Structures are given as structure tokens and as C-alpha cells.
């Protein structure tokens, strides 16, 4: 193993040791379900906003988008725009209302005025599927990153690395719960934004802080793309199908955030609706700043490294940011930036795992299997911990299969599932009085099924050299992202199901209570909830 690899492992080891200390200290106060699943609702708006930014700025944001901009230019930056605009939907439509209505999970809100058991089961199923797709992306990013850092080119070695990341993730969740995971998110968000900011200033300084000079250098160093790097169409403009694919991708990105369970669950970690609003404002500022950095980092990688060298690296486009760090700051900066990228992956997978395990424990175990009659107050936490282990193992296996895929693209698939299965049901539950259990089930299961079938039959999975299974060919659906078909269909299914089913006996009273609670915060869950 070369000196650089030892340096990289040393920096990463320091980060893991420091965050494990934080997680262990945070776990001392984790006694009840509210502590484990919602961090005792003890975080302030700014703290939670930084943690949300940490949750949202995943490997897709740092590795995937920087790589997409370096290789595809303007078309790659559209990921950044989509991810950022999505926050306006989350802020205006769901953030405060969800926090006021729920307790721990999305299932709390969706089942509030419905039949509890079937709707909670559906919400938990959707949460686990979205979390799994998101986990795939993070694990794929981990494999490519370590291949670059340690010079591990074999798939077997990368698989071992993915397994190590999965094991660390499970440790964070088992030990620290939501409180420990939130502190890891905060530390990681600060490191990521500062690291990206330093690299951005460094790159701009090389070109006299003149963005035009930087863009010109990027064009000069990308002879195949040339001027196309600065305009739309390099990735999504060749045919009518690719333009439609871009529209589908944009729709999934903009509408997906408001349906992501691990982002929605963050709003339960603050004590009041006012703090929930402050959380989103802080998150938007931090996320917006970071996405401006990605523009400079992406074009900087094109100018200083070159698309050909990036595509030839073990992690392909995902290697753009680390290769840029090495080009401007040598092995030390590469090690630091790689450690930040690892921190990003670890923190996000921990957040996803606790969301999925909390949903299973609270919605499936406590409310479906036990029908809300859980005698042992620690039982829910025990089930959540066991579920976290199972999810960790499944995500490791999935990550090994998805290794080499562009992580920004994989996350876009998770957004499509979230926007199709969750968003219609959330909006109908909050704003449509007539909406009932049948509508919720049609919307969740219908949206989920359609999206999954279209993804399996898309070029993302088979039929192309860049597909997940390039040697197979069953791509019957022409678009890589199914959002343009699956999202409207899920909204329609919710309407059809509502008119096909009957409202519950206490529908009007429950609807009125939900309306009052969602808009005023009356009787919303407090930190003392057990």
C-alpha cells in the first residue's frame, strides 16, 4: 500500500474515531422511544437546519453532481437546480404541517384520519423502499471513492470496503439513535461545506477569481465536448427521448424532496413548529451555498483534470471532486476531501437507516402487529435496532450490485419513488377533506408499484453499457427516470381510490382535528412523549 493510501486511511480513521466518541456521548441520554427515534425533540432550528443540510447533501451532491458537471457541463448543473428548487415545495407545503401532525414517522401523518393498520403498513413499506434506493446510491459512492483512494481496482476489494462502511453505519445507529446520528450530520455538514468552500476559492484563485477564464479553460480541456459544455443538450439534448428523460428527471427532483422520509423525519427532532420553519430556512441557505460551490468544482475538475481522465478513473464521474482536490492540493488535500466525502456517506446512510428502522418499529411493529398495545416501553427501540441491522446488511448487498453507477442518477431514482408513492398521499391527507383510506392505499401502493416496474424495465437497469446490468437487455420503457409517468399516475390513483372507497365513520371529526393541529400545532407531540 502506498504512502498516500496510508495517509487517506489515517485521516478517515481520525474522523470515525471522533464521531464515534460524539455518538457514544449522545447515547447516554437515549432512554425512551422519543429519545431514540426523535432525539427527544431537543434540537434548535439552526442545529436541525444544519443537520437537514447534512442529510440532504449526500454523496450525490458532492461526488455525483460535481462529476456530472465536469463531464456534461450545463446539463450536470441541472441536478443542483432541481435539488435546490425542491426545497421550496418542502417549505411551502409540508414542513410545518407534518411536524404539527405527526410524532415520529410519516406513517403518523398519513394514518391520522384513516384506518391505522393498512395505511401505516403502506407508509412503512414506501419508506423502506425509498430508503433502500437512497442507500444504494451512497454505497455505490463509497465503493468508487475508496477504489480511487486506495488504488483498489478489483470488485472484490471494493465490495469489502462497502461492507466496512455498512458496518460503521450500523454502529452509529445502534449506539446513538437519532440524537447521535443528528450530531454526526451536523459535524459532517460543517466539514463538507467548509471543505467545498476552500476548494472553490482555491480553484477560482488559480484563474484570477474570473469565472469566464475558468469556463474557457474547461472548454479547452474537454476537446470532445468543446463549447457544448457551456450550454444545454450535451447529456439530454440528442433526441426527443433524452429531452423527455430530462423533463422526467426534473419533475422527480423538484417533487421528490417533499416525499423523502428521512428528510421529513428531521422535522420531529425540534420542539415547536416555529423551530421547524427555522430549520428549513437554515437548510435552504446552506444547501444553496453548497450547490453554487458545485458549479465551480465541476467546471474546475473539467479544466484541471479533464473529462477523459475522470471517466477513466475507478469511480468514473464520481471521482471528479477527489481528483480535483489532488490536482490543486496534492495527496494531503485529497485525503482530507476524501475523508469529508466518506463522512458524507456515513452520515447519510446512518440517517436513512434510522428512518427506515424507526418506521418499521413504530408503524409495523407497534401499531400494526401490536395494535398500539406495546407493554414494554423499550420494545419499540429494540425492534428498531434489530431492523437497522437487517437494513444495513441488505444495503451492503445492494451497494455491491450498484457499484460504479453515477450516484446522482441513483438518488434521482429514489426521488422518483418518493414523489410517486409518498407526495400525493401527503398532500391529499393534509389538504383534501374527502381523501380516505382507500385513496391512500391506491396512491401509495399504486405509485410504488408503477415506479418500481418502470425502473426495472428502463435503460437504467439493462440494455446499455452504463446500465446496472449491462449484459442483460429488458429495457422496454425508454426513459431512465420514470417520474413523468409515475407521479401524475399516483395522483390520479389517489383520486380514483378515494371515490371507489368509503370514508371512515369518524372521518369528519378526525379531519377537523387534523386541520386544526396541522395549522396551529395544538396537541402536537412534545419532548415528554414516551
Amino acid at each position: 500500500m502506498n504512502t498516500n493510501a496510508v495517509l487517506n486511511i489515517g485521516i478517515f480513521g481520525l474522523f470515525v474515531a471522533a464521531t464515534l466518541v460524539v455518538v457514544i456521548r449522545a447515547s447516554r441520554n437515549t432512554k425512551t422511544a422519543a429519545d431514540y427515534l426523535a432525539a427527544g425533540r431537543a434540537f434548535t432550528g439552526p442545529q436541525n437546519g444544519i443537520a437537514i443540510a447534512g442529510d440532504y447533501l449526500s454523496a450525490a451532491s458532492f461526488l455525483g453532481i460535481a462529476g456530472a458537471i465536469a463531464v456534461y457541463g450545463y446539463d450536470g448543473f441541472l441536478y443542483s437546480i432541481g435539488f435546490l428548487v425542491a426545497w421550496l415545495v418542502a417549505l411551502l407545503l409540508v414542513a410545518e404541517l407534518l411536524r404539527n401532525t405527526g410524532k415520529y414517522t410519516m406513517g403518523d401523518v398519513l394514518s391520522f384520519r384513516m384506518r391505522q393498520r393498512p395505511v401505516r403498513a403502506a407508509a412503512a413499506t414506501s419508506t423502506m423502499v425509498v430508503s433502500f434506493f437512497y442507500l444504494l446510491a451512497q454505497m455505490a459512492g463509497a465503493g468508487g471513492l475508496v477504489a480511487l483512494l486506495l488504488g483498489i481496482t478489483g470488485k472484490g476489494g471494493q465490495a469489502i470496503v462497502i461492507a466496512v462502511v455498512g458496518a460503521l453505519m450500523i454502529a452509529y445507529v445502534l449506539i446513538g439513535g437519532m440524537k447521535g446520528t443528528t450530531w454526526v450530520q451536523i459535524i459532517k455538514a460543517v466539514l463538507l461545506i467548509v471543505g467545498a468552500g476552500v476548494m472553490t476559492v482555491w480553484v477560482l484563485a488559480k484563474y484570477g477569481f474570473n469565472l469566464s477564464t475558468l469556463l474557457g479553460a474547461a472548454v479547452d480541456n474537454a476537446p470532445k465536448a468543446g463549447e457544448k459544455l457551456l450550454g444545454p443538450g450535451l447529456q439530454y439534448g440528442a433526441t426527443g427521448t433524452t429531452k423527455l428523460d430530462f423533463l422526467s428527471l426534473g419533475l422527480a427532483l423538484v417533487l421528490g424532496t417533499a416525499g423523502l422520509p428521512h428528510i421529513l423525519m428531521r422535522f420531529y427532532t425540534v420542539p415547536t413548529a416555529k423551530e421547524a420553519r427555522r430549520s428549513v430556512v437554515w437548510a435552504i441557505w446552506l444547501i444553496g451555498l453548497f450547490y453554487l460551490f458545485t458549479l465551480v468544482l465541476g467546471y474546475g475538475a473539467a479544466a484541471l483534470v479533464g473529462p477523459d481522465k475522470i471517466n477513466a478513473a475507478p469511480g468514473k464521474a464520481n471521482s471528479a471532486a477527489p481528483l480535483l482536490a489532488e490536482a490543486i492540493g496534492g495527496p494531503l488535500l485529497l485525503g482530507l476531501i476524501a475523508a469529508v466525502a466518506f463522512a458524507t456517506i456515513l452520515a447519510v446512510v446512518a440517517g436513512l437507516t434510522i428512518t427506515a428502522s424507526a418506521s418499521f418499529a413504530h408503524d409495523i411493529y407497534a401499531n400494526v402487529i401490536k395494535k398500539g398495545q406495546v407493554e414494554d416501553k423499550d420494545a419499540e427501540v429494540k425492534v428498531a435496532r434489530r431492523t437497522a441491522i437487517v437494513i444495513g446488511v441488505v444495503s451492503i448487498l445492494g451497494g455491491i450490485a450498484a457499484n460504479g453507477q453515477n450516484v446522482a442518477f441513483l438518488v434521482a431514482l429514489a426521488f422518483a419513488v418518493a414523489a410517486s408513492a409518498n407526495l400525493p398521499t401527503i398532500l391529499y391527507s393534509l389538504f383534501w377533506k374527502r381523501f380516505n383510506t382507500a385513496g391512500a392505499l391506491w396512491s401509495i401502493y399504486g405509485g410504488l408499484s408503477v415506479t418500481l416496474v418502470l425502473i426495472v424495465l428502463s435503460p437504467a437497469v439493462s440494455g446499455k453499457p452504463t446500465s446496472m446490468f449491462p449484459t442483460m437487455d429488458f429495457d422496454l420503457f425508454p426513459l431512465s427516470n420514470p417520474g413523468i409517468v409515475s407521479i401524475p399516475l399516483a395522483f390520479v390513483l389517489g383520486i380514483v381510490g378515494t371515490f371507489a372507497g368509503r370514508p371512515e365513520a369518524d372521518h369528519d371529526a378526525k379531519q377537523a382535528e387534523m386541520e386544526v393541529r396541522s395549522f396551529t400545532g395544538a396537541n402536537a407531540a412534545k419532548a415528554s412523549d414516551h
Side-chain angles (χ1 to χ4, degrees):
M1 189 178 287
N2 61 35
T3 312
N4 291 353
V6 173
L7 176 69
N8 295 334
I9 289 174
I11 295 170
F12 179 54
L14 280 173
F15 171 81
V16 171
T19 49
L20 277 174
V21 169
V22 171
V23 167
I24 291 165
R25 285 177 65 87
S27 69
R28 292 175 184 170
N29 299 321
T30 300
K31 298 182 177 67
T32 66
D35 290 332
Y36 187 81
L37 303 178
R41 310 189 204 282
F43 285 95
T44 64
Q47 285 174 333
N48 194 46
I50 298 169
I52 289 173
D55 230 340
Y56 197 65
L57 296 174
S58 64
S61 298
F62 188 45
L63 302 177
I65 293 176
I69 294 170
V71 175
Y72 298 112
Y74 181 94
D75 281 12
F77 187 56
L78 293 171
Y79 278 102
S80 290
I81 296 168
F83 283 139
L84 183 58
V85 171
W87 269 106
L88 296 176
V89 180
L91 173 62
L92 294 173
L93 293 179
V94 301
E96 182 183 344
L97 304 180
L98 275 176
R99 193 253 154 236
N100 288 344
T101 312
K103 189 172 179 180
Y104 301 133
T105 67
M106 185 178 72
D108 288 333
V109 180
L110 301 186
S111 64
F112 191 91
R113 58 189 177 98
M114 315 287 179
R115 291 205 308 279
Q116 294 279 316
R117 295 176 74 193
V119 175
R120 281 189 183 276
T125 302
S126 173
T127 295
M128 310 245 305
V129 172
V130 174
S131 299
F132 174 69
F133 269 96
Y134 222 104
L135 280 165
L136 275 190
Q138 308 310 313
M139 294 300 197
L145 185 65
V146 173
L148 178 73
L149 293 180
L150 308 184
I152 299 172
T153 52
K155 289 286 184 184
Q158 292 178 30
I160 292 169
V161 171
I162 290 172
V164 170
V165 171
L168 281 170
M169 159 190 87
I170 293 167
Y172 281 150
V173 174
L174 293 186
I175 298 167
M178 180 57 94
K179 192 170 285 183
T181 302
T182 301
W183 278 114
V184 172
Q185 302 282 19
I186 290 170
I187 294 167
K188 163 254 162 144
V190 172
L191 285 175
L192 180 62
I193 292 167
V194 169
V198 168
M199 281 180 66
T200 299
V201 172
W202 202 325
V203 169
L204 286 173
K206 279 187 169 290
Y207 295 96
F209 291 96
N210 189 321
L211 190 59
S212 296
T213 309
L214 168 62
L215 296 177
V219 169
D220 293 341
N221 204 26
K224 289 180 184 174
E227 291 286 339
K228 290 181 181 176
L229 206 64
L230 303 182
L234 191 56
Q235 185 180 12
Y236 292 110
T239 64
T241 303
T242 51
K243 288 177 181 175
L244 199 60
D245 214 352
F246 164 65
L247 192 60
S248 189
L249 170 72
L251 198 62
L253 294 182
V254 170
L255 297 179
T257 298
L260 287 176
H262 69 292
I263 298 295
L264 299 178
M265 195 169 169
R266 285 248 144 258
F267 297 122
Y268 300 129
T269 64
V270 291
T272 65
K274 181 184 175 184
E275 293 299 307
R277 285 196 301 276
R278 288 180 73 201
S279 297
V280 182
V281 172
W282 270 77
I284 287 174
W285 277 106
L286 292 171
I287 291 165
L289 181 66
F290 179 83
Y291 283 140
L292 287 176
F293 292 160
T294 62
L295 183 65
V296 175
L297 296 180
Y299 279 114
L304 295 167
V305 181
D308 292 341
K309 186 178 176 183
I310 290 166
N311 282 324
K316 297 181 182 173
N318 301 332
S319 305
L323 286 172
L324 174 63
E326 188 176 35
I328 61 175
L332 182 61
L333 186 61
L334 171 62
L336 289 169
I337 293 302
V340 169
F342 255 126
T344 299
I345 291 166
L346 274 173
V348 173
V349 292
L352 287 162
T353 304
I354 196 163
T355 300
S357 58
S359 184
F360 182 85
H362 184 63
D363 293 322
I364 301 285
Y365 173 76
N367 287 287
V368 175
I369 297 172
K370 292 291 185 179
K371 302 180 184 177
Q373 306 299 315
V374 183
E375 288 112 27
D376 181 1
K377 67 179 183 179
D378 296 327
E380 213 171 307
V381 174
K382 288 175 186 171
V383 171
R385 286 185 163 132
R386 287 172 194 153
T387 309
I389 295 171
V390 175
I391 291 165
V393 171
V394 172
S395 65
I396 288 167
L397 297 174
I400 291 168
N403 192 11
Q405 297 284 307
N406 183 296
V407 286
F409 170 71
L410 285 172
V411 163
L413 293 183
F415 273 63
V417 177
S420 305
N422 296 344
L423 185 63
T425 321
I426 291 169
L427 294 181
Y428 285 152
S429 294
L430 291 171
F431 298 110
W432 188 19
K433 293 182 180 181
R434 174 78 188 262
F435 195 55
N436 56 27
T437 301
L441 297 179
W442 278 53
S443 182
I444 294 174
Y445 286 128
L448 196 59
S449 304
V450 168
T451 313
L452 291 178
V453 168
L454 293 181
I455 287 172
V456 169
L457 298 178
S458 77
V461 175
S462 73
K464 285 186 176 180
T466 54
S467 302
M468 202 174 287
F469 302 105
T471 55
M472 301 181 186
D473 188 359
F474 44 86
D475 60 326
L476 304 176
F477 181 68
L479 304 180
S480 295
N481 194 296
I484 200 167
V485 174
S486 59
I487 297 169
L489 196 55
F491 274 99
V492 170
L493 286 170
I495 295 170
V496 172
T498 299
F499 285 106
R502 293 179 180 176
E504 288 61 50
D506 58 349
H507 178 89
D508 291 340
K510 279 282 188 185
Q511 197 279 325
E513 183 186 348
M514 184 175 182
E515 193 168 10
V516 170
R517 181 184 280 200
S518 64
F519 284 108
T520 66
N523 299 320
K526 298 290 192 295
S528 58
D529 288 339
H530 288 262

